[in-house]
Amino acid sequence: MNIMLFAPELFLLLGALIVFLLSLSDDHNSARNVALAAGLGALILSAGGMNRGGLMFGGAYNVDLFSQLFKIMITGGLTAVLIFGGKHRGIEKRVRPEYYLCLILSTLGLVMLVSSVDLVAIFVSLELSSFSLYLMLPMRSTEHGLRIQMEAGIKYMLFGVMATGIMLFGMSYVFGLTGSTSLAAITAKLPTLVHEPAAVVGIVMILCVFMFKLAIFPFHFWVSDAYEGGANETTAFLATVPKLAGVAMLIRIVNLINPSEAIINFLAILAVCSMFYGNLCALRQKDFKRMMGFSAVAHAGFVLLGILTFKEAGYATSIYYILGYLVMNLACFMVICKVSKSGENVPIAGLAGLYKRSPLLAFTMGLSMFALAGIPPFAGFMGEFLLLAGALQAGHLTVVILGALNAAIAIYYYLSVVKVTYCNEPEADTGPIRVDIGTRAVSLILITAIIFIGVYPSSLLDMASAALRLAF
Amino acid sequence: MDFLILNKGFPILSVLIFLPLAGAFIAMFLSGDKVSRVWALIVTTLNAIISLPLYSAFNSSSYKFQFAEHQAWIPQWNINYTLGLDGISLLLVLLTTIIMPLCILASWRYIAKRVKTFMICMLVLETTMLGVFAALDFILFYIMWEAMLIPMYMLIAIWGGPRKVYASTKFFIYTLAGSVMLLVAIIALYLHSTPHTFSIPMLMGQPYSTTFQVLIFLAFFVAFAVKVPMFPVHTWLPAAHVEAPTAGSVILASILLKMGTYGLLRFCLPMTPQATMTFMPYILWLSVAGILYGGFTALAQHDMKKLIAYSSVGHMGFVTLGIFVLNFRGMEGAILQMINHGVTTGALFLCVGMIYERTHSRELATATGVGKYMPVFVTFFAIFSLSSFAFPGTNSFIGEFLVLAGGFAKHKLVTAAAIPGAILAAAYMLRMLQRVIWGGVNNPSHDGLLDLNTREIVTLAPFLVFVFWIGLAPGPFLSVMHSTVHHLLAQVNAGVAHPALACLP
């Protein structure tokens, strides 16, 4: 067994242990620095090990280009969140070291999840990541008398545990029918069980938990409350990084089954419902994070468009799309973290006059909003276009038309954020926002990435396709 | 690729498109209002100078796309970076590059806050507009088409009038909603073409079934009709025009509206000829409705900008009329009228902007009788107004005459119905002109009103030159489009006559 294959995970684990020791004291600054170092180190290690591959732990753990790509995105997301989170003022001061611990452990769980090719390994990594997240949500500072985070935490946990339960139920069916927990063995046996409804039901039940992570309708009920209740830094993480693993696992699990009319229609209906539900609800929101929660539901619907083609090109587009989504969401949550003075929620109206308070943040916000709305030449448009083109090629004309209509609905709420940012004057009691060097750097990287991903998708698509060919 | 005449040497179209973008990028690092203004003027003027050789180097005897550039972009979907100009787009590109520096000049004083951002928006806007006219790949076209909304939205939303938020949001949503189905249609065309391609010339003349053509035509038509704007989807235009700053109004009228008719010419006619024939009568009547509606509404306006905005609806009605009579005269007239409208209406918006800078009102009532104080201004204003209602000797006369001549040759009733529009145009323009120059006995006092300064005269003079040049000697403008128009009509006729054997590009 080559230890280097497991290096990013080991590095994160090491970081988690050091943060654990530091959490015995009250030194939250060094805890943060260690967490940042762990994230950065894991990012470098997974990028360096991009072309390595091999099976580990008795075939339960598969390191290949597919998993490495997702590991780069996940650890990159963690690093960005830690940098622009700054001192994490939104988190209760006495639990900050523990917060960093949970953050690293949650990332570790996600990093392991994308490599897991065994039902048990999937379950263990998923729970490692989810339980850390359950803890992170209520760690929000109570300085302002906020109790909303408790509701968010409980809601997220109840829904999450429920989804996990459904997944376990599904796994038991699949195990019972195939006699194995290894995905490779299951793939080999499943085609003989096409006419077995229990197999389809089992797989769909496993899918539920990842749809829950992605907040696809009707597994979305937690999303707006959890986004609103979590600290800005927590939501920035919750809204971006777990979604990556969600897409990776959706692709892995969906790939197990032969597409039947029923499954495709099921996914298509979920996709359309997610888009409409998310976009229509987002129209009415006043709180920025809540709006982004509903926008996440709509975008998750778009991701499904790639998956329901059941083709390698479609999966590759979904990966490309979620990469763009990661970058766009990180950009706008970064702005929110900086605009919020002491960790309070930012209403959309609170962005008024941002162009004067910080031109860079305003530009980042404007760009990411246009990108999320699918206006070219940014990442959101190219992803949306490729997904629609792929779905139309697979013959889903109705879904494509409804998806295109959604682009027109969505523009309204994204545009209203741009309007507030650029056209309204700042409120009297607000001054300029100081943006530290690290955040500036992250901001420039994100802006460049949003444009680059949108203008030059071919190499990224090639890489995603190559990864999929190797993985399946 | 025999429909392209590749440009081996200096990539002039890429330079034209990306020079303003590079200029906008550099402008981000400049400080000071004056510096930004001068920088934007330098970049747009340079672009205009670079674009001039296009005219002399253009081979007007060929209908092929010239100065072409071709580069693979997204090979997975056979999307390419393809640029090229034919007789139609050449004139529109030149119109764009020449109008931009004049718009910067017109905003010299008018824009007082956030000058740097304004100039960046203008430069980005120039990139996207030139991209729309030069793109020969459908995805490239769509990207430029949509990306243009961002700077235009900013122009209206930040520097606009009192109802800027309403106007800018309406503009954005109207245009975006119009073009969402365009994207679906583009993908559908790709999937129905053999080989699968997004290349605009290669999508022409493919043997699509009639039903498919009808659906594609409708998707295209909605997108382009909103942009033109055709009656009854014109309602965003008056709002956007009234609230936009002067330069925004000029660009809207002169260039953005042309994109709609350009789209009809470039895509609807050659790609879906049968559907074009099916819908032609309805579109002709819609054009007539636009001409009459625009005329009557303009007659009732008290706001000068609104008046000119509604006159645009009428003028663009003539353009769509000329396009859809589908004969040589009508189409040449329509294309020339696109340029004319750009020149004349652009100049009229500049004139109104100049009054607004002095009186801070666009109301006709407060601008009455300025002729006594601003003789130079009213001279310009009168000539542009005459041009607007197609007075002989001015540019619009040639365009409108050709359109009507083409129209009478084919659909006498429809064209006769459009004639009152020409009379209405004279009525509303002369009404405005009378008020502005002389007014009545109870004119508001205009003490201290200054006449045009040199910068303003320099801004308006090029428009004046084009008004008379096209009006008295339209040859140079018409000659470049002859072969393109012939070819386009041949494509339509072939597509109608032999649906399955339609001529390849």
Side-chain angles (χ1 to χ4, degrees):
Chain A
M1 189 176 91
N2 186 350
I3 195 80
M4 278 314 281
L5 289 180
F6 204 54
E9 290 86 339
L10 283 179
F11 201 82
L12 281 173
L13 194 60
L14 184 71
L17 287 175
I18 297 174
V19 174
F20 173 65
L21 288 178
L22 286 171
S23 74
L24 300 176
S25 75
D26 257 349
D27 189 0
H28 53 78
N29 264 341
S30 34
R32 182 206 169 232
N33 292 341
V34 172
L36 186 56
L40 211 54
L43 173 61
I44 292 167
L45 284 171
S46 21
M50 203 160 93
N51 295 317
R52 292 205 190 91
L55 278 174
M56 303 170 80
F57 306 122
Y61 201 81
N62 186 10
V63 177
D64 55 9
L65 187 58
F66 179 77
S67 69
Q68 296 305 90
L69 279 183
F70 275 100
K71 279 176 201 173
I72 294 172
M73 293 194 257
I74 290 170
T75 48
L78 170 75
T79 314
V81 170
L82 276 167
I83 293 177
F84 67 67
K87 289 198 160 61
H88 286 74
R89 281 165 304 189
I91 309 298
E92 186 75 46
K93 202 164 181 185
R94 63 192 166 83
V95 292
R96 270 185 214 168
E98 283 83 356
Y99 179 82
Y100 296 122
L101 177 64
C102 289
L103 198 58
I104 302 179
L105 284 178
S106 179
T107 312
L108 177 62
L110 295 171
V111 164
M112 284 164 59
L113 184 60
V114 294
S115 269
S116 302
V117 286
D118 186 288
L119 294 182
V120 178
I122 290 175
F123 176 70
V124 171
S125 347
L126 183 71
E127 289 311 275
L128 177 61
S129 125
S130 301
F131 272 90
S132 317
L133 273 175
Y134 299 153
L135 285 175
M136 278 158 68
L137 272 177
M139 283 185 181
R140 186 174 193 179
S141 160
T142 48
E143 206 178 307
H144 304 286
L146 271 177
R147 283 283 175 271
I148 192 173
Q149 66 270 37
M150 302 302 167
E151 183 196 344
I154 300 259
K155 220 170 205 170
Y156 187 52
M157 188 173 82
L158 284 181
F159 277 108
V161 170
M162 189 75 172
T164 315
I166 295 176
M167 176 184 74
L168 278 178
F169 202 167
M171 282 181 173
S172 73
Y173 274 153
V174 173
F175 176 70
L177 285 166
T178 59
S180 169
T181 58
S182 154
L183 291 189
I186 295 172
T187 321
K189 290 233 178 86
L190 265 187
T192 57
L193 302 164
V194 214
H195 303 297
E196 200 67 63
V200 178
V201 170
I203 295 284
V204 169
M205 284 168 105
I206 298 178
L207 285 180
C208 285
V209 78
F210 302 110
M211 293 190 176
F212 162 79
K213 283 268 170 227
L214 274 174
I216 287 166
F217 180 91
F219 308 100
H220 65 274
F221 288 101
W222 59 277
V223 73
S224 48
D225 290 321
Y227 274 34
E228 191 187 7
N232 296 327
E233 295 88 351
T234 316
T235 310
F237 181 79
L238 181 67
T240 50
V241 183
K243 307 247 185 254
L244 295 168
V247 170
M249 294 318 285
L250 265 188
I251 293 173
R252 253 198 217 290
I253 304 291
V254 159
N255 199 47
L256 292 176
I257 41 180
N258 289 322
S260 66
E261 192 75 4
I263 293 258
I264 292 178
N265 284 343
F266 171 70
L267 291 177
I269 289 170
L270 291 192
V272 171
C273 289
S274 301
M275 291 178 206
F276 273 102
Y277 183 88
N279 280 329
L280 291 178
C281 288
L283 289 177
R284 294 282 297 162
Q285 302 307 319
K286 298 255 187 308
D287 183 83
F288 185 84
K289 282 192 291 174
R290 231 181 142 76
M291 185 199 91
M292 288 309 292
F294 285 111
S295 128
V297 178
H299 281 278
F302 264 102
V303 172
L304 269 191
L305 283 187
I307 290 170
L308 63 80
T309 58
F310 284 89
K311 284 200 191 76
E312 183 197 289
Y315 300 153
T317 320
S318 285
I319 296 176
Y320 170 77
Y321 189 81
I322 203 72
L323 169 65
Y325 182 74
L326 167 80
V327 178
M328 299 184 288
N329 259 22
L330 281 176
C332 63
F333 277 108
M334 181 194 84
V335 177
I336 289 304
C337 285
K338 288 292 147 192
V339 170
S340 165
K341 245 185 294 182
S342 50
E344 74 281 8
N345 275 0
V346 180
I348 294 173
L351 292 166
L354 191 60
Y355 77 92
K356 225 178 223 170
R357 301 176 65 197
S358 166
L360 179 67
L361 290 184
F363 187 70
T364 315
M365 180 56 102
L367 196 79
S368 60
M369 282 297 121
F370 280 124
L372 280 166
I375 305 293
F378 308 121
F381 165 75
M382 199 42 94
E384 215 170 274
F385 159 68
L386 292 171
L387 284 174
L388 290 176
L392 196 56
Q393 194 167 32
H396 306 296
L397 179 65
T398 325
V399 182
V400 168
I401 289 180
L402 294 175
L405 280 182
N406 267 282
I409 303 175
I411 183 65
Y412 181 77
Y413 59 90
Y414 294 121
L415 203 59
S416 58
V417 175
V418 177
K419 186 212 89 189
V420 172
T421 313
Y422 269 99
C423 304
N424 293 14
E425 290 304 308
E427 281 159 33
D429 56 339
T430 52
I433 300 171
R434 275 197 40 237
V435 185
D436 54 286
I437 290 283
T439 311
R440 271 174 197 275
V442 172
S443 161
L444 289 179
I445 291 173
L446 291 175
I447 290 173
T448 320
I450 290 176
I451 298 173
F452 176 81
I453 294 171
V455 173
Y456 198 66
S458 57
S459 59
L460 295 167
L461 285 173
D462 270 341
M463 207 187 283
S465 297
L468 286 161
R469 261 195 303 279
L470 283 174
F472 307 122
Chain B
M1 289 288 163
D2 56 343
F3 48 84
L4 294 180
I5 300 178
L6 282 176
N7 186 359
K8 291 281 188 288
F10 180 63
I12 185 164
L13 289 179
S14 290
V15 170
L16 279 179
I17 292 175
F18 290 106
L19 183 73
L21 194 65
F25 186 72
I26 293 170
M28 283 186 188
F29 302 101
L30 300 177
S31 57
D33 292 353
K34 184 109 197 231
V35 179
S36 314
R37 286 192 188 109
V38 172
W39 175 250
L41 187 64
I42 291 174
V43 173
T44 47
T45 313
L46 189 64
N47 225 28
I49 293 171
I50 296 176
S51 72
L52 289 180
L54 283 177
Y55 183 84
S56 46
F58 187 79
N59 174 8
S60 56
S61 61
S62 168
Y63 62 82
K64 290 181 180 173
F65 293 95
Q66 308 182 19
F67 316 107
E69 293 167 36
H70 183 80
Q71 217 40 257
W73 181 17
I74 308 174
Q76 287 93 339
W77 285 89
N78 194 11
I79 297 171
N80 300 299
Y81 172 79
T82 317
L83 302 173
L85 294 184
D86 65 357
I88 303 171
S89 42
L90 172 74
L91 290 176
L92 291 167
V93 164
L94 289 172
L95 178 74
T96 311
T97 53
I98 292 172
I99 277 189
M100 284 311 286
L102 303 175
C103 284
I104 304 277
L105 272 180
S107 322
W108 211 261
R109 281 280 170 69
Y110 189 92
I111 301 300
K113 60 164 189 176
R114 297 162 81 182
V115 176
K116 186 168 93 174
T117 322
F118 181 84
M119 295 303 164
I120 292 174
C121 282
M122 293 287 276
L123 291 172
V124 175
L125 196 58
E126 180 166 16
T127 289
T128 54
M129 292 188 301
L130 291 172
V132 164
F133 292 131
L136 287 183
D137 184 278
F138 235 141
I139 297 305
L140 185 62
F141 169 84
Y142 189 82
I143 285 179
M144 294 296 188
W145 171 269
E146 294 279 273
M148 183 190 59
L149 296 179
I150 299 175
M152 198 63 217
Y153 169 80
M154 291 294 192
L155 282 187
I156 304 176
I158 299 180
W159 296 276
R163 295 173 76 213
K164 57 188 182 183
V165 171
Y166 165 77
S168 54
T169 311
K170 189 171 182 179
F171 161 75
F172 203 116
I173 293 182
Y174 225 118
T175 358
L176 187 94
S179 41
V180 286
M181 284 306 134
L182 179 63
L183 185 62
V184 180
I186 292 173
I187 303 172
L189 276 175
Y190 168 85
L191 295 172
H192 278 76
S193 57
T194 37
H196 290 335
T197 180
F198 282 111
S199 159
I200 291 169
M202 282 169 80
L203 287 171
M204 297 173 184
Q206 298 248 7
Y208 309 116
S209 73
T210 314
T211 335
F212 181 71
Q213 285 198 20
V214 166
L215 292 174
I216 294 292
F217 182 90
L218 285 176
F220 280 176
F221 185 69
V222 171
F224 299 135
V226 167
K227 206 72 153 202
V228 171
M230 283 184 81
F231 179 83
V233 284
H234 63 275
T235 58
W236 63 270
L237 181 80
H241 264 320
V242 170
E243 300 305 326
T246 303
S249 295
V250 174
I251 293 176
L252 258 180
S254 301
I255 302 159
L256 257 65
L257 303 194
K258 307 304 164 314
M259 291 180 181
T261 42
Y262 172 76
L264 294 173
L265 282 168
R266 174 70 78 232
F267 307 114
C268 286
L269 266 51
M271 286 181 195
T272 57
Q274 283 180 296
T276 306
M277 290 310 269
T278 317
F279 287 105
M280 181 190 69
Y282 307 103
I283 296 172
L284 288 178
W285 282 111
L286 272 184
S287 308
V288 172
I291 294 171
L292 297 179
Y293 174 86
F296 277 116
T297 329
L299 204 52
Q301 298 306 318
H302 297 288
D303 181 318
M304 284 188 282
K305 261 191 164 178
K306 235 177 188 166
L307 191 153
I308 300 169
Y310 277 111
S311 84
S312 284
V313 177
H315 290 311
M316 294 312 282
F318 273 107
V319 177
T320 44
L321 181 73
I323 292 174
F324 279 91
V325 293
L326 295 175
N327 60 21
F328 186 71
R329 283 224 182 83
M331 200 171 284
E332 286 214 340
I335 298 167
L336 191 66
Q337 194 61 6
M338 281 158 71
I339 306 297
N340 290 338
H341 179 259
V343 172
T344 307
T345 311
L348 281 172
F349 274 120
L350 285 176
C351 290
V352 174
M354 287 168 187
I355 295 192
Y356 181 78
E357 276 182 68
R358 289 168 170 77
T359 64
H360 301 287
S361 164
R362 292 180 306 258
E363 284 295 311
L364 202 44
T366 47
T368 45
V370 300
K372 192 172 156 194
Y373 305 89
M374 303 173 67
V376 181
F377 170 77
V378 292
T379 311
F380 277 111
F381 194 53
I383 293 170
F384 294 133
S385 300
L386 292 179
S387 153
S388 179
F389 64 85
F391 196 76
T394 61
N395 54 352
S396 303
F397 174 72
I398 311 288
E400 235 167 75
F401 177 79
L402 281 170
V403 169
L404 292 176
F408 274 118
K410 206 152 178 190
H411 300 279
K412 290 198 175 52
L413 184 63
V414 176
T415 320
I419 291 288
I423 300 163
L424 279 172
Y428 59 72
M429 274 300 162
L430 288 176
R431 167 178 166 263
M432 178 167 77
L433 209 54
Q434 191 275 334
R435 301 263 177 101
V436 170
I437 300 180
W438 296 287
V441 287
N442 47 1
N443 290 342
S445 94
H446 290 301
D447 292 333
L449 205 62
L450 293 173
D451 207 349
L452 300 189
N453 57 26
T454 320
R455 172 180 60 83
E456 289 168 325
I457 294 175
V458 169
T459 315
L460 288 176
F463 289 96
L464 197 69
V465 171
F466 279 102
V467 164
F468 287 118
W469 187 0
I470 304 179
L472 300 172
F477 299 90
L478 290 171
S479 64
V480 290
M481 60 174 97
H482 284 328
S483 16
T484 309
V485 172
H486 269 303
H487 178 65
L488 180 55
L489 285 169
Q491 280 178 315
V492 176
N493 292 333
V496 174
H498 312 283
L501 302 165
C503 77
L504 285 165

